[in-house]
């Protein structure tokens, strides 16, 4: 666990909290290892590198919007609903501004 600042902590309290450290997976473009990493890697790298994913910090709603935009306007391959849920859950878990 690494220490991170809790922006909601009172000024007098210790603002550091334990946050899990997720190791990057070099075989999957350094995406954080874990459930959904492989599905995300193969779905997303058909069009762009993982670097563009790793630099994101979007709201969950924005991830949903981008998914639809990539399918409708960018001709991204639309996977089955199960894969969609796996990939969006992974993106929201690791690259959401809400966590």
């Amino acid at each position: 666990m690494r220490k991170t600042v809790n922006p909601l902590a009172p000024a007098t309290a210790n603002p550091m909290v334990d946050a899990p450290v997720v190791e990057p997976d070099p075989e999957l473009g350094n995406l954080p290892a874990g459930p959904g990493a492989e599905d995300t890697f193969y779905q997303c790298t058909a069009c762009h590198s993982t670097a563009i994913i790793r630099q994101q910090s979007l709201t969950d709603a924005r991830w949903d919007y981008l998914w639809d935009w990539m399918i409708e306007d960018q001709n991204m391959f639309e996977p089955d609903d199960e894969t969609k849920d796996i990939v969006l859950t992974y993106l929201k878990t690791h690259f959401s501004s809400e966590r």
Side-chain angles (χ1 to χ4, degrees), residues 9-73:
T12 58
N14 181 357
M16 303 305 278
V17 295
D18 288 329
V21 173
V22 180
E23 295 297 322
D25 187 333
E27 292 184 13
L28 298 176
N30 288 320
L31 290 174
E38 188 171 350
D39 290 295
T40 302
F41 177 81
Y42 289 111
Q43 179 69 36
C44 299
T45 61
C47 297
H48 55 75
S49 75
T50 59
I52 199 164
I53 301 166
R54 290 182 282 114
Q55 70 186 8
Q56 302 304 310
S57 179
L58 306 173
T59 64
D60 291 358
R62 186 69 175 168
W63 278 117
D64 292 331
Y65 168 81
L66 283 177
W67 182 273
D68 293 337
W69 173 79
M70 286 186 276
I71 288 172
E72 294 167 9
D73 295 350

